[in-house]
Short mmCIF file of all heavy atoms in Angstrom, two decimals:
data_model
loop_
_atom_site.label_atom_id
_atom_site.label_comp_id
_atom_site.label_asym_id
_atom_site.label_seq_id
_atom_site.Cartn_x
_atom_site.Cartn_y
_atom_site.Cartn_z
N PRO A 1 110.33 -27.38 45.51
CA PRO A 1 111.23 -27.44 44.18
C PRO A 1 110.88 -26.42 43.24
O PRO A 1 109.58 -26.04 43.13
CB PRO A 1 110.97 -28.88 43.80
CG PRO A 1 109.58 -29.16 44.26
CD PRO A 1 109.49 -28.45 45.64
N SER A 2 111.76 -26.12 42.39
CA SER A 2 111.50 -25.18 41.17
C SER A 2 110.82 -25.90 40.14
O SER A 2 110.61 -27.12 40.13
CB SER A 2 112.71 -24.49 40.75
OG SER A 2 113.51 -25.49 40.08
N ARG A 3 110.19 -25.01 39.16
CA ARG A 3 109.56 -25.77 38.10
C ARG A 3 110.64 -26.72 37.26
O ARG A 3 110.16 -27.79 36.71
CB ARG A 3 109.01 -24.66 37.14
CG ARG A 3 108.30 -25.31 35.95
CD ARG A 3 107.72 -24.16 35.09
NE ARG A 3 106.63 -23.50 35.75
CZ ARG A 3 105.32 -23.78 35.72
NH1 ARG A 3 104.94 -24.71 34.92
NH2 ARG A 3 104.50 -22.92 36.41
N ARG A 4 111.77 -26.25 37.26
CA ARG A 4 112.88 -26.92 36.49
C ARG A 4 113.11 -28.29 37.17
O ARG A 4 113.27 -29.28 36.53
CB ARG A 4 114.09 -26.17 36.40
CG ARG A 4 115.14 -26.79 35.52
CD ARG A 4 116.27 -25.77 35.24
NE ARG A 4 117.32 -26.47 34.39
CZ ARG A 4 118.44 -27.16 34.92
NH1 ARG A 4 118.62 -27.35 36.18
NH2 ARG A 4 119.29 -27.69 34.05
N GLU A 5 113.31 -28.19 38.48
CA GLU A 5 113.56 -29.36 39.35
C GLU A 5 112.39 -30.52 39.17
O GLU A 5 112.55 -31.67 39.01
CB GLU A 5 113.78 -29.07 40.75
CG GLU A 5 115.15 -28.39 41.00
CD GLU A 5 115.16 -27.83 42.34
OE1 GLU A 5 114.14 -27.52 43.07
OE2 GLU A 5 116.37 -27.89 42.90
N THR A 6 111.24 -29.92 39.19
CA THR A 6 110.00 -30.75 39.17
C THR A 6 110.04 -31.45 37.71
O THR A 6 109.68 -32.61 37.61
CB THR A 6 108.76 -29.90 39.36
OG1 THR A 6 108.87 -29.35 40.61
CG2 THR A 6 107.53 -30.81 39.22
N ALA A 7 110.23 -30.66 36.65
CA ALA A 7 110.29 -31.29 35.25
C ALA A 7 111.41 -32.31 35.18
O ALA A 7 111.05 -33.25 34.56
CB ALA A 7 110.47 -30.13 34.19
N ILE A 8 112.45 -32.00 35.66
CA ILE A 8 113.53 -33.00 35.44
C ILE A 8 113.28 -34.36 36.28
O ILE A 8 113.45 -35.42 35.81
CB ILE A 8 114.96 -32.41 36.04
CG1 ILE A 8 115.44 -31.31 35.08
CG2 ILE A 8 116.03 -33.40 36.24
CD1 ILE A 8 116.60 -30.42 35.43
N THR A 9 112.75 -34.07 37.48
CA THR A 9 112.39 -35.31 38.24
C THR A 9 111.19 -36.00 37.61
O THR A 9 111.34 -37.37 37.62
CB THR A 9 112.01 -34.79 39.67
OG1 THR A 9 113.08 -34.16 40.33
CG2 THR A 9 111.66 -35.99 40.61
N THR A 10 110.32 -35.36 37.09
CA THR A 10 109.27 -36.03 36.30
C THR A 10 109.74 -36.86 35.20
O THR A 10 109.33 -38.02 34.89
CB THR A 10 108.20 -35.00 35.94
OG1 THR A 10 107.59 -34.43 37.20
CG2 THR A 10 107.04 -35.74 35.19
N GLY A 11 110.72 -36.24 34.40
CA GLY A 11 111.25 -36.93 33.27
C GLY A 11 112.04 -38.15 33.68
O GLY A 11 111.98 -39.16 33.00
N LEU A 12 112.78 -38.06 34.89
CA LEU A 12 113.53 -39.24 35.18
C LEU A 12 112.61 -40.30 35.63
O LEU A 12 112.93 -41.50 35.43
CB LEU A 12 114.48 -38.77 36.40
CG LEU A 12 115.70 -37.93 35.95
CD1 LEU A 12 116.38 -37.43 37.26
CD2 LEU A 12 116.50 -38.72 35.12
N VAL A 13 111.52 -40.02 36.38
CA VAL A 13 110.52 -41.04 36.84
C VAL A 13 110.01 -41.68 35.52
O VAL A 13 109.85 -42.99 35.57
CB VAL A 13 109.58 -40.39 37.67
CG1 VAL A 13 108.27 -41.37 37.94
CG2 VAL A 13 110.11 -39.95 39.05
N LEU A 14 109.60 -40.95 34.61
CA LEU A 14 108.99 -41.49 33.38
C LEU A 14 110.05 -42.52 32.67
O LEU A 14 109.59 -43.48 32.25
CB LEU A 14 108.42 -40.35 32.47
CG LEU A 14 107.28 -39.59 33.00
CD1 LEU A 14 106.91 -38.50 31.97
CD2 LEU A 14 106.03 -40.54 33.23
N ALA A 15 111.33 -41.95 32.63
CA ALA A 15 112.30 -42.65 31.83
C ALA A 15 112.67 -44.02 32.60
O ALA A 15 112.76 -45.04 32.08
CB ALA A 15 113.58 -41.95 31.70
N MET A 16 112.67 -43.87 33.96
CA MET A 16 113.00 -45.19 34.73
C MET A 16 111.84 -46.15 34.72
O MET A 16 112.02 -47.33 34.66
CB MET A 16 113.37 -44.76 36.12
CG MET A 16 114.71 -44.12 36.37
SD MET A 16 116.04 -45.00 35.49
CE MET A 16 116.10 -46.53 36.52
N SER A 17 110.74 -45.54 34.57
CA SER A 17 109.39 -46.43 34.40
C SER A 17 109.45 -47.27 33.05
O SER A 17 109.13 -48.40 33.01
CB SER A 17 108.03 -45.52 34.48
OG SER A 17 108.02 -44.95 35.87
N ALA A 18 109.87 -46.34 32.01
CA ALA A 18 109.95 -47.12 30.69
C ALA A 18 111.06 -48.13 30.74
O ALA A 18 110.90 -49.26 30.16
CB ALA A 18 110.16 -46.03 29.74
N VAL A 19 112.16 -47.93 31.32
CA VAL A 19 113.36 -48.90 31.45
C VAL A 19 112.68 -50.03 32.30
O VAL A 19 113.05 -51.28 31.70
CB VAL A 19 114.53 -48.31 32.06
CG1 VAL A 19 115.53 -49.21 32.51
CG2 VAL A 19 115.19 -47.27 31.21
N ALA A 20 112.18 -49.82 33.27
CA ALA A 20 111.68 -51.00 34.09
C ALA A 20 110.55 -51.77 33.33
O ALA A 20 110.67 -53.12 33.32
CB ALA A 20 110.98 -50.59 35.47
N ALA A 21 109.69 -51.22 32.47
CA ALA A 21 108.71 -51.85 31.68
C ALA A 21 109.36 -52.68 30.66
O ALA A 21 109.09 -53.85 30.46
CB ALA A 21 107.80 -50.83 31.04
N LEU A 22 110.56 -52.13 30.01
CA LEU A 22 111.05 -52.92 29.02
C LEU A 22 111.97 -54.07 29.66
O LEU A 22 111.92 -55.22 29.06
CB LEU A 22 112.20 -52.01 28.32
CG LEU A 22 111.60 -50.94 27.37
CD1 LEU A 22 112.65 -50.04 26.80
CD2 LEU A 22 110.91 -51.74 26.23
N PHE A 23 112.51 -53.86 30.80
CA PHE A 23 113.17 -55.05 31.44
C PHE A 23 112.20 -56.15 31.72
O PHE A 23 112.44 -57.31 31.58
CB PHE A 23 113.89 -54.54 32.72
CG PHE A 23 114.41 -55.63 33.61
CD1 PHE A 23 115.52 -56.33 33.38
CD2 PHE A 23 113.64 -56.06 34.74
CE1 PHE A 23 116.08 -57.44 34.03
CE2 PHE A 23 114.09 -57.13 35.53
CZ PHE A 23 115.39 -57.72 35.12
N PHE A 24 111.12 -55.84 32.36
CA PHE A 24 110.16 -56.88 32.76
C PHE A 24 109.45 -57.47 31.53
O PHE A 24 109.12 -58.52 31.52
CB PHE A 24 109.06 -56.31 33.81
CG PHE A 24 109.65 -56.08 35.14
CD1 PHE A 24 109.73 -54.87 35.74
CD2 PHE A 24 110.11 -57.15 35.86
CE1 PHE A 24 110.27 -54.49 36.84
CE2 PHE A 24 110.69 -56.98 37.05
CZ PHE A 24 110.68 -55.64 37.64
N PHE A 25 109.28 -56.64 30.44
CA PHE A 25 108.78 -57.38 29.30
C PHE A 25 109.80 -58.29 28.69
O PHE A 25 109.47 -59.40 28.41
CB PHE A 25 108.45 -56.26 28.20
CG PHE A 25 107.97 -56.89 26.84
CD1 PHE A 25 106.80 -57.22 26.64
CD2 PHE A 25 108.91 -56.78 25.79
CE1 PHE A 25 106.49 -57.75 25.44
CE2 PHE A 25 108.67 -57.33 24.61
CZ PHE A 25 107.21 -57.74 24.42
N ALA A 26 110.97 -57.95 28.63
CA ALA A 26 112.03 -58.86 28.14
C ALA A 26 112.26 -60.09 29.03
O ALA A 26 112.25 -61.18 28.58
CB ALA A 26 113.42 -58.19 28.04
N ALA A 27 112.20 -59.94 30.40
CA ALA A 27 112.26 -61.03 31.34
C ALA A 27 111.00 -61.99 31.13
O ALA A 27 111.13 -63.15 31.10
CB ALA A 27 112.22 -60.54 32.75
N ASP A 28 109.93 -61.44 30.93
CA ASP A 28 108.62 -62.18 30.69
C ASP A 28 108.69 -63.02 29.46
O ASP A 28 108.44 -64.26 29.36
CB ASP A 28 107.42 -61.32 30.74
CG ASP A 28 106.09 -62.09 30.55
OD1 ASP A 28 105.83 -62.92 31.38
OD2 ASP A 28 105.38 -61.77 29.55
N GLN A 29 109.22 -62.31 28.35
CA GLN A 29 109.34 -63.09 27.11
C GLN A 29 110.43 -64.27 27.24
O GLN A 29 110.13 -65.36 26.77
CB GLN A 29 109.86 -62.09 26.00
CG GLN A 29 108.81 -60.98 25.65
CD GLN A 29 107.49 -61.75 25.12
OE1 GLN A 29 107.46 -62.54 24.22
NE2 GLN A 29 106.31 -61.33 25.81
N LEU A 30 111.49 -63.94 27.89
CA LEU A 30 112.49 -64.97 28.13
C LEU A 30 112.09 -66.07 28.96
O LEU A 30 112.25 -67.37 28.59
CB LEU A 30 113.75 -64.37 28.80
CG LEU A 30 114.97 -65.19 28.85
CD1 LEU A 30 115.53 -65.64 27.59
CD2 LEU A 30 116.03 -64.54 29.70
N ILE A 31 111.43 -65.88 29.96
CA ILE A 31 110.79 -66.95 30.88
C ILE A 31 109.75 -67.69 30.06
O ILE A 31 109.76 -68.98 30.11
CB ILE A 31 110.19 -66.31 32.10
CG1 ILE A 31 111.33 -65.85 32.90
CG2 ILE A 31 109.41 -67.35 32.88
CD1 ILE A 31 110.98 -64.94 34.13
N GLY A 32 108.90 -66.94 29.36
CA GLY A 32 107.85 -67.73 28.55
C GLY A 32 108.55 -68.61 27.50
O GLY A 32 108.03 -69.69 27.23
N PHE A 33 109.56 -68.14 26.84
CA PHE A 33 110.31 -68.84 25.86
C PHE A 33 110.86 -70.12 26.55
O PHE A 33 110.71 -71.26 25.94
CB PHE A 33 111.50 -68.08 25.15
CG PHE A 33 112.25 -68.93 24.25
CD1 PHE A 33 111.80 -69.23 22.94
CD2 PHE A 33 113.56 -69.31 24.72
CE1 PHE A 33 112.52 -70.05 22.16
CE2 PHE A 33 114.28 -70.05 23.78
CZ PHE A 33 113.83 -70.48 22.55
N ALA A 34 111.40 -69.96 27.71
CA ALA A 34 112.13 -71.06 28.37
C ALA A 34 111.03 -72.09 28.74
O ALA A 34 111.17 -73.37 28.68
CB ALA A 34 112.81 -70.72 29.63
N VAL A 35 109.82 -71.66 29.21
CA VAL A 35 108.72 -72.62 29.67
C VAL A 35 108.26 -73.36 28.45
O VAL A 35 108.08 -74.55 28.60
CB VAL A 35 107.71 -71.87 30.41
CG1 VAL A 35 106.45 -72.73 30.55
CG2 VAL A 35 108.22 -71.30 31.88
N ARG A 36 107.99 -72.71 27.39
CA ARG A 36 107.57 -73.25 26.17
C ARG A 36 108.66 -74.32 25.57
O ARG A 36 108.25 -75.47 25.25
CB ARG A 36 107.29 -72.21 25.03
CG ARG A 36 105.98 -71.61 25.25
CD ARG A 36 105.48 -70.79 24.10
NE ARG A 36 106.56 -69.64 23.71
CZ ARG A 36 106.42 -68.44 24.42
NH1 ARG A 36 105.61 -68.18 25.27
NH2 ARG A 36 107.37 -67.64 24.04
N ALA A 37 109.78 -74.01 25.77
CA ALA A 37 110.91 -75.07 25.32
C ALA A 37 110.94 -76.02 26.30
O ALA A 37 111.18 -77.22 25.75
CB ALA A 37 112.27 -74.25 25.26
N LEU A 38 110.69 -75.91 27.46
CA LEU A 38 110.83 -76.93 28.47
C LEU A 38 109.72 -77.99 28.34
O LEU A 38 109.81 -79.14 28.46
CB LEU A 38 111.04 -76.35 29.87
CG LEU A 38 111.24 -77.41 31.05
CD1 LEU A 38 112.53 -78.14 30.82
CD2 LEU A 38 111.19 -76.62 32.30
N PHE A 39 108.48 -77.44 28.16
CA PHE A 39 107.25 -78.23 28.24
C PHE A 39 106.53 -78.37 26.92
O PHE A 39 105.76 -79.08 26.68
CB PHE A 39 106.20 -77.58 29.19
CG PHE A 39 106.62 -77.49 30.65
CD1 PHE A 39 107.02 -76.28 31.29
CD2 PHE A 39 106.80 -78.65 31.28
CE1 PHE A 39 107.35 -76.32 32.54
CE2 PHE A 39 107.29 -78.65 32.74
CZ PHE A 39 107.44 -77.57 33.32
N GLY A 40 107.19 -77.79 25.87
CA GLY A 40 106.80 -78.04 24.46
C GLY A 40 105.54 -77.27 24.17
O GLY A 40 104.60 -76.96 25.08
N GLY A 41 105.34 -76.89 22.87
CA GLY A 41 104.14 -76.38 22.34
C GLY A 41 103.51 -75.05 23.13
O GLY A 41 104.17 -74.29 23.59
N GLY A 42 102.29 -75.24 23.32
CA GLY A 42 101.49 -74.19 23.94
C GLY A 42 101.20 -72.98 23.08
O GLY A 42 101.82 -72.88 21.98
#
């Protein structure tokens, strides 16, 4: 691959990793909220 192709691919991998991290953070917060609401306190 050319330097440009490598840079674009690297950028896409970093961006998708950030999107996945945000998704799993939000899912974790939502599940934690639901568990606290279901079982109270904590």
Side-chain angles (χ1 to χ4, degrees):
S2 68
R3 181 177 294 268
R4 183 173 184 270
E5 289 172 326
T6 302
I8 289 172
T9 303
T10 301
L12 288 173
V13 167
L14 292 174
M16 290 306 295
S17 296
V19 169
L22 290 172
F23 170 77
F24 287 115
F25 176 76
D28 181 57
Q29 293 299 310
L30 184 63
I31 292 169
F33 175 76
V35 168
R36 283 190 298 277
L38 185 62
F39 295 112

